[in-house]
Amino acid sequence: MNRILLASAFLFSTISTALADEIPSAVPPALGQAPAAVSPAPKAPAPKLVEPHLHIARSNVAGHARVALTFDACMGQADERILSTLVRERIPATIFVTARWLKRNPAAVAVFLQNTDLFELENHGQNHIPAVDTPTLIYGIASAGSPQAVRQEVEGGAAAMIAAGIPAPHWFRGSTAKYDLSAIGEIRAMGYRIAGYSVNGDGGSLLGAVITEKRIASAKDGDVVISHVNQPTHAAGEGVAKALVDLKAKGTQFVRLQDVEDTGDDKTTE
């Protein structure tokens, strides 16, 4: 009896081993181990961005520094604190307007057009989209993302200006004042000079009145100042208005971009 049982056990073991060799196991060989991590798809490299500088020809006259005041009118309403100071003090300035701002501020546009000896109006784009031709975020704002979209931003802004009775623009400044080099080439090929700056007056209109006043009032011979004229509820506007009076009292010679020679880096004005 024992011999029969031993023989049966031997036969069962032999068949089980053979079947194991024929049938693949349904259990992974690395049982109990974590599965290998799947590598994420590589991200596209972020575009190299530049924030060009711009200077104007100096006066080289002691006590009479030459300064170009430039203001961005992005969206929102006109800042009457700044606009009224420019008109009252007869201070020339270059204003970069978007199509969106033009639509919302016809009264301010009328003031500009009534004072053509003071104001040069230039192109800030159609929808205030950064002029970068690859997809990215700049200060949380999505870029144009393609050469076609950059062209639309530039051409749409110019068309809105002409429709509002403003002469065709010759300068362009994109939202955030940042660009990639290929977009700079595309905009220059459209016939525009690209307006950088050398003094950031109001930090995107986010600075306080005191620091804004100090920054702008510190402008030196040949500087191009950038500030904003579309945030009437921000404290920065008060500082801008005071700085304009400060500079005038120091004998500053104010000029518009169209009235003076300039030099911009990153091939923005060549």
Side-chain angles (χ1 to χ4, degrees):
M1 182 64 178
N2 290 335
R3 291 182 179 177
I4 295 173
L5 290 174
L6 289 172
S8 298
F10 177 79
L11 178 61
F12 179 79
S13 175
T14 303
I15 294 173
S16 298
T17 303
L19 288 174
D21 291 339
E22 294 290 336
I23 302 173
S25 173
V27 181
L31 185 63
Q33 298 180 10
V38 177
S39 299
K43 293 182 179 180
K48 179 182 178 181
L49 302 181
V50 296
E51 192 166 357
H53 292 91
L54 179 67
H55 288 85
I56 56 172
R58 298 175 181 176
S59 72
N60 292 319
V61 177
H64 295 281
R66 180 182 292 156
V67 173
L69 300 171
T70 69
F71 293 92
D72 288 358
C74 312
M75 294 170 281
Q77 302 295 328
D79 191 333
E80 291 296 335
R81 297 169 297 181
I82 299 172
L83 184 54
S84 63
T85 301
L86 291 169
V87 173
R88 183 182 68 250
E89 301 293 334
R90 308 309 293 170
I91 295 175
T94 303
I95 316 293
F96 287 86
V97 296
T98 66
R100 297 171 69 174
W101 189 88
L102 289 174
K103 186 179 296 185
R104 297 188 62 180
N105 295 275
V109 174
V111 171
F112 290 147
L113 295 178
Q114 291 163 6
N115 293 274
T116 55
D117 59 322
L118 294 181
F119 299 115
E120 171 189 359
L121 299 180
E122 296 293 351
N123 189 356
H124 197 33
Q126 181 176 23
N127 290 308
H128 201 245
I129 296 173
V132 175
D133 61 14
T134 55
T136 191
L137 289 176
I138 307 172
Y139 304 132
I141 305 174
S143 66
S146 70
Q148 295 78 14
V150 169
R151 176 173 289 274
Q152 178 59 45
E153 175 70 0
V154 177
E155 291 182 343
M161 294 177 68
I162 293 170
I166 300 169
H170 301 286
W171 285 86
F172 177 80
R173 176 183 285 155
S175 167
T176 74
K178 292 181 182 288
Y179 315 83
D180 54 352
L181 296 179
S182 54
I184 287 176
E186 293 154 12
I187 298 166
R188 292 288 290 123
M190 296 172 67
Y192 287 90
R193 303 171 80 77
I194 297 175
Y197 62 90
S198 59
V199 175
N200 186 339
D202 62 1
S205 82
L206 299 177
L207 297 177
V210 173
I211 186 62
T212 296
E213 180 182 5
K214 288 181 178 179
R215 281 194 179 194
I216 297 176
S218 69
K220 297 178 175 58
D221 198 12
D223 272 333
V224 175
V225 179
I226 182 175
S227 297
H228 292 75
V229 71
N230 66 300
Q231 296 289 357
T233 64
H234 289 194
E238 177 185 347
V240 172
K242 289 181 178 179
L244 299 179
V245 177
D246 295 343
L247 285 172
K248 184 178 180 181
K250 292 195 302 186
T252 301
Q253 176 190 352
F254 299 104
V255 295
R256 303 171 297 183
L257 293 182
Q258 68 183 24
D259 297 328
V260 66
E261 294 182 357
D262 54 76
T263 304
D265 57 15
D266 297 307
K267 298 184 178 179
T268 51
T269 62
E270 290 181 5

